[in-house]
Amino acid sequence: MMFAAAAAGLIIPMLMALVRGLAGPTLYDRVLAGNSFGTKTVLLIAVLGFIGGRPDFLDIALLYALMNFIGTIAILKFFRYRNLGVADSADIRNGSEVNNGARGKNEEAV
């Protein structure tokens, strides 16, 4: 009975995070809402696993938590650098460094 109440109690904050994700004025509000929704989904999967008597749902919840974390980091990196670390052909032709701001061997630190 307690786990059913916990599952029902997780639905409301998930809906609130979904509304914030759709109506968020900035990108960071949307990313935070998506991350919050993912965290609450992990909790819901774990609670549903306990309700159904399937403790192997915890493994699925942990995998989803890792995917949520990596996805959030990838989205933030993409919007900051406009790529995910793959060198463009223009970068290779111009001889610029992929890691933005790295000094070569012959350059001195200022």
Side-chain angles (χ1 to χ4, degrees):
M1 186 68 177
M2 289 290 287
F3 288 122
L10 282 171
I11 299 294
I12 294 169
M14 288 176 74
L15 290 174
M16 291 170 63
L18 188 63
V19 168
R20 173 49 74 194
L22 294 174
T26 66
L27 169 76
Y28 298 108
D29 289 331
R30 291 186 171 114
V31 170
L32 182 63
N35 192 9
S36 176
F37 186 84
T39 302
K40 286 167 184 48
T41 303
V42 168
L43 292 172
L44 186 65
I45 290 171
V47 167
L48 290 177
F50 279 113
I51 289 173
R54 303 273 314 259
D56 52 336
F57 274 26
L58 287 177
D59 296 335
I60 297 170
L62 286 173
L63 179 67
Y64 189 79
L66 288 173
M67 289 182 357
N68 183 32
F69 174 72
I70 291 170
T72 301
I73 298 300
I75 288 170
L76 289 173
K77 181 179 178 184
F78 177 75
F79 281 108
R80 178 171 175 125
Y81 297 113
R82 294 293 178 199
N83 67 14
L84 291 175
V86 178
D88 294 335
S89 59
D91 290 339
I92 294 171
R93 277 185 302 221
N94 293 335
S96 63
E97 295 288 330
V98 175
N99 56 358
N100 295 336
R103 292 187 188 98
K105 291 181 185 176
N106 298 330
E107 293 180 347
E108 294 180 6
V110 177

